Amino acid sequence: MVAGVAGRASRDTGTLSDVRRWWRATHPGPGVWRRLDTIYTIAISVAILGGLAYGTASSALAQVVTPDALARFGPPAALLGLLVTAQWGAYQGPVVFSVPDVAHLLGAPLPRRGLAWRRLARGLGAGALAGAVLGALLLVGLAGRGRTVATERATALVAAAAELGLLGVGAAWAVERSAQWERAARLAVWPGAALAAALVVAVRSGEPWRTVARWSGPWAWAVQAPAGAAPGQWLTALGALTAAAAVAFAAAVHDAGRCSAERHLRRAEARAGAVAALMLFDARSARRAFDTPPAGGTATTRHARLAWARHAIGARGARPPARALATVWRDGVAAQRTRGRVIEAAVVTASGTVLALLDTDRPAAVLAAMALVYTGAARMLWPLRAELDLTSRARILLRPPLGSVMVAHLLVPSLATAAAAALAAGACAIAGGLGRNGGLAAVLAVLAAPTAVACAAMSARRGGRLPQSVLAGAMAADPSGGGIGVVTWLAWWPAAAAVLGAGPLLIATHDGVAAGVLAAAGAGAVVAALAGSLARGPTAP
Amino acid sequence: MGGVAPLETSALRRAYGRLVALAGLTLTVGAGECVALIGANGSGKSTAVRTIAGLLEPTGGTVRICGHDPHVEPEGEDARAELAVVPDAPLLYDDLTVRQHLELVTLSHGVAREGVDDRIDGLLDRLGLGTRGDFLPRELSRGMRQKTQLACALVRPAAVLVLDEPVVGLDPPSQVLLAELLHEAKRTERAVLLTTHQMAFADDLADRAVVLDEGEVVDEGAWSAVRERAEARGWSRA
């Protein structure tokens, strides 16, 4: 017989269970002894290290996790946690197949629901477990420093955290499977962040705002028991949260098969790309693996063409006369095209500036605030990263030497972040939030923004990939297996930005104007040196 | 099957944001017919194939495989049962051998177990993979991986065979073999849709052709007529 194209025989009733059985036969898991060995190793490690870790964790957590802190910051933190978990569905989510799975399993006449539900159940279980572990950690903190927590309240905290975890994974699945939910989750980020900030303020205010905050949603229901609410209240809240979690679970299971192959394929390809990039310690490529062009679009062909034409005409009209301004023009166009990125950078920079100016008594808080400013600056430098990732393209499209291009890329981000910082400092001044030597502090906080931009540019110049030399050197010299060396490499420029931004500010507010000006001059000299270094071009790969 | 065509698309459209990759493809491929989708790079051929295969959601229009919509569940199961797709790049498991890939396909498509091993052996022999059955994809050349993907599409019954750039990576004898297999598919009443840059490959095979440019159908008709017009435009000399 010469085999060729299969005959049009009717299909057997092929079932998913046949495929599963075959898969288990071709991919045998670890044997019983191997599993027992793993369990024994974990148990013995926990027994030996658990006591030590508990003592350390308890004393550390007890300082931060108090009933009062939980009542004040618990709801906003839980809300942000839920938002982040839901956003995870926009990039991966609880149900992710491999690329061949999409071709061979999702491309077969097998029920999608049957293929997805086990992964989904594992994801929901993992979410609940992660929540329970987090709840247990909070409990360790609450019970520290001689405080006691009633058993029923402790149980309620762990159960509520588990339910929140389940709710978050349920939301992530909704976002993963549906473009509408994905859009809604994206739109909910800033309102959610604003609500979180409002919750902090509301809890500090008197009634009725405190009550409103306490019943504002599942994020607040979850912390009522450990925050000291009356039994009737926290039981009602826990009941409401349980009902919400049950609805989320039922909805997730009901919609287990309702995710298109395209959405699965997008996530499968993103994961494969990210894993490949991370194997090379290339964080930037890993991040880019998750950036995919949006499907859909309501424009007609004609409309789309006109949109392109309008853009081309607009861009041509705005083209600068001087070659030297090409990079600035390019940054301007990029900012116009990705307004969300610019707004995000401005908000983060402004938040960092406000925090730095309001908390000048605590150096750690000012340093953390400056790290936020660095984050905003790094977000603004996306066009520079694009140039550095594809230097061959940049060399063709941009005629000046790449060093000049890199320096030119500092202008727009510096202006944008400094403007955001200036607005934030102005708002602080109007609200009377500036402390000692407040005027100089405000100026220095604004100047910290371009400083952070210079540091972020230095970080960008290194490329997204961890150099092999750094890795090899770190592993050879560092007993931690290279961890400390790698973390140092990663944190170097954010830390530099934090020190250069926070240093003059702290000195000005604690040691006087003259010392502050001197420190600012020093920081300025460092920034000038960094710009000079950038002008020499990218570092060798 | 009645009067239902194996493959039908109506005003099929796909956009990526504001880029319209496919703008209203209306196409019918009958049983025993081969239609070639031709066009330059970026003309929308692969988008069309992926949308028909259910791997991309259409932003407009419909696809029907033997009357079933591959984008709607559980109706899509019936569509996928009748549709075999050979993508432009092989999508294979790293940890499954060539033979295991074919076993998985036959299982997941519910092919009757009786005689399936002989069928797999025969197909592997015919595709020149007889001695490579126990090899993993990483141990194969690009062309052999492509043949494995082709074998996955041929090892189980399907009313529609969709191939995206099937000759890429295949040596000339393998291209001849592929053409033979596609002729055989036509003879056994399969509907064949293929995309290609190589007009010569489709010469003896395609009954009709559809030319795409910027996602829009700019020419269609009998293969010979479309080919003539394409030659007049200097397209096929490339």
Side-chain angles (χ1 to χ4, degrees):
Chain A
M1 184 186 96
V2 179
V5 179
R8 295 283 311 281
S10 62
R11 280 196 302 135
D12 215 358
T13 48
T15 57
L16 197 51
S17 55
D18 290 338
V19 176
R20 286 216 172 98
R21 207 172 301 120
W22 179 87
W23 193 267
R24 278 195 296 272
T26 51
H27 296 77
V32 176
W33 289 112
R34 179 88 186 271
R35 283 171 203 254
L36 286 174
D37 183 49
T38 307
I39 291 169
Y40 171 76
T41 307
I42 292 172
I44 202 83
S45 303
V46 168
I48 293 169
L49 300 174
L52 284 172
Y54 181 82
T56 311
S58 174
S59 58
L61 286 170
Q63 294 176 32
V64 186
V65 185
T66 61
D68 184 48
L70 209 58
R72 189 181 297 175
F73 299 110
L79 172 59
L80 292 177
L82 274 179
L83 281 173
V84 168
T85 313
Q87 281 292 318
W88 165 58
Y91 298 97
Q92 288 287 278
V95 181
V96 180
F97 292 93
S98 69
V99 176
D101 277 344
V102 176
H104 294 282
L105 296 181
L106 296 180
L110 297 169
R112 292 265 164 92
R113 183 186 169 76
L115 286 167
W117 83 264
R118 284 186 185 212
R119 285 174 163 87
L120 180 60
R122 272 200 297 270
L124 290 166
L129 183 66
V133 169
L134 193 66
L137 282 174
L138 291 175
L139 197 60
V140 168
L142 281 175
R145 284 194 167 175
R147 290 186 293 254
T148 53
V149 184
T151 310
E152 63 273 13
R153 286 182 189 265
T155 311
L157 169 61
V158 175
E163 286 171 358
L164 265 187
L166 194 144
L167 202 60
V169 176
W173 169 239
V175 170
E176 179 183 354
R177 68 169 186 79
S178 153
Q180 282 82 12
W181 277 99
E182 186 177 341
R183 206 171 301 123
R186 201 179 307 126
L187 291 174
V189 169
W190 288 113
L195 178 59
L199 284 172
V200 175
V201 176
V203 171
R204 278 186 173 182
S205 314
E207 296 294 347
W209 297 112
R210 198 173 292 181
T211 305
V212 170
R214 202 180 294 145
W215 292 101
S216 58
W219 45 87
W221 304 340
V223 297
Q224 289 212 13
Q233 277 186 9
W234 71 256
L235 276 171
T236 309
L238 186 62
L241 179 60
T242 305
V247 168
F249 180 80
V253 171
H254 179 262
D255 295 330
R258 292 188 183 173
C259 183
S260 68
E262 173 177 356
R263 295 181 76 78
H264 282 308
L265 181 62
R266 212 168 77 193
R267 281 157 181 80
E269 287 176 338
R271 177 174 285 191
V275 168
L278 286 175
M279 295 291 277
L280 297 168
F281 295 94
D282 188 347
R284 205 183 294 169
S285 296
R287 185 190 170 283
R288 204 182 300 118
F290 294 109
D291 292 337
T292 48
T298 52
T300 61
T301 310
R302 181 178 161 75
H303 183 86
R305 282 181 180 162
L306 289 176
W308 278 102
R310 275 199 302 276
H311 174 70
I313 291 165
R316 202 178 295 277
R319 191 165 292 167
R323 198 183 71 176
L325 290 178
T327 308
V328 176
W329 169 81
R330 183 240 191 284
D331 282 348
V333 171
Q336 197 188 347
R337 291 289 302 277
T338 51
R339 292 190 190 106
R341 175 179 60 88
V342 177
I343 292 170
E344 204 179 302
V347 169
V348 172
T349 304
S351 307
T353 307
V354 169
L355 289 175
L357 287 173
L358 294 184
D359 229 350
T360 48
D361 288 339
R362 292 199 298 170
V366 177
L367 282 167
M370 286 301 157
L372 261 185
V373 173
Y374 174 88
T375 307
R379 198 82 186 96
M380 274 303 296
L381 275 172
W382 176 83
L384 171 65
R385 290 208 172 90
E387 243 78 279
L388 291 167
D389 285 347
L390 285 169
T391 44
S392 55
R393 186 189 67 182
R395 282 187 180 117
I396 292 168
L397 294 177
L398 299 165
R399 293 182 65 191
L402 205 50
S404 311
V405 170
M406 289 169 65
V407 173
H409 268 302
L410 298 181
L411 188 62
V412 170
S414 296
L415 288 175
T417 51
L423 281 174
C428 283
I430 291 167
L434 298 181
R436 188 170 162 242
N437 300 327
L440 179 60
V443 171
L444 293 176
V446 172
L447 290 176
T451 304
V453 169
C455 290
M458 291 299 287
S459 174
R461 185 174 74 159
R462 301 184 302 185
R465 184 181 294 188
L466 189 72
Q468 293 292 320
S469 56
V470 171
L471 190 61
M475 290 184 80
D478 173 5
S480 72
I484 293 172
V486 171
V487 169
T488 304
W489 188 86
L490 291 172
W492 182 261
W493 287 113
V499 170
L500 287 172
L505 183 60
L506 287 168
I507 290 170
T509 50
H510 290 88
D511 300 329
V513 172
V517 169
L518 204 61
V526 173
V527 171
L530 295 182
S533 171
L534 282 172
R536 286 195 288 277
T539 48
Chain B
M1 200 75 69
V4 178
L7 171 58
E8 264 184 307
T9 71
S10 173
L12 190 61
R13 179 189 153 80
R14 170 68 199 206
Y16 299 94
R18 63 183 182 181
L19 171 69
V20 180
L22 192 63
L25 174 67
T26 298
L27 177 75
T28 302
V29 187
E33 188 181 27
C34 175
V35 174
L37 268 182
I38 55 178
N41 293 333
S43 59
K45 302 187 300 293
S46 291
T47 298
V49 164
R50 284 173 160 233
T51 311
I52 289 167
L55 291 173
L56 288 180
E57 288 292 299
T59 45
T62 56
V63 183
R64 291 282 182 274
I65 308 292
C66 299
H68 306 294
D69 189 340
H71 299 101
V72 176
E73 294 301 314
E75 192 184 345
E77 287 175 39
D78 294 323
R80 293 194 293 277
E82 297 294 353
L83 176 68
V85 182
V86 181
D88 55 347
L91 301 174
L92 303 172
Y93 291 97
D94 293 334
D95 56 349
L96 291 188
T97 64
V98 171
R99 172 181 295 281
Q100 283 174 332
H101 274 93
L102 301 193
E103 284 173 7
L104 175 62
V105 170
T106 52
L107 265 178
S108 61
H109 284 80
V111 176
R113 305 309 302 157
E114 193 183 333
V116 81
D117 288 338
D118 291 341
R119 168 152 187 76
I120 288 173
D121 286 338
L123 190 58
L124 290 180
D125 281 340
R126 188 159 175 198
L127 286 166
L129 294 169
T131 57
R132 300 285 201 278
D134 295 327
F135 280 46
L136 294 170
R138 65 169 175 271
E139 298 169 310
L140 302 174
S141 68
R142 201 303 185 175
M144 283 181 172
R145 288 200 297 271
Q146 184 72 6
K147 283 189 201 174
T148 305
Q149 191 76 57
L150 182 64
C152 288
L154 297 178
V155 76
R156 49 87 171 197
V160 181
L161 195 53
V162 175
L163 305 99
D164 192 8
E165 303 286 358
V167 291
V168 171
L170 293 185
D171 53 37
S174 300
Q175 291 185 22
V176 172
L177 176 62
L178 174 64
E180 261 176 40
L181 287 165
L182 294 182
H183 275 297
E184 199 176 307
K186 283 175 66 180
R187 279 197 301 276
T188 48
E189 295 297 296
R190 300 299 183 286
V192 179
L193 176 71
L194 63 92
T195 72
T196 186
H197 285 120
Q198 299 189 19
M199 307 280 268
F201 175 75
D203 263 343
D204 291 334
L205 205 59
D207 303 299
R208 289 189 296 123
V210 174
V211 184
L212 291 175
D213 185 29
E214 299 283 329
E216 294 191 47
V217 176
V218 293
D219 194 7
E220 62 183 313
W223 170 257
S224 52
V226 171
R227 163 126 208 189
E228 260 178 42
R229 290 194 286 271
E231 272 181 356
R233 287 197 298 268
W235 201 86
S236 66
R237 284 198 299 272

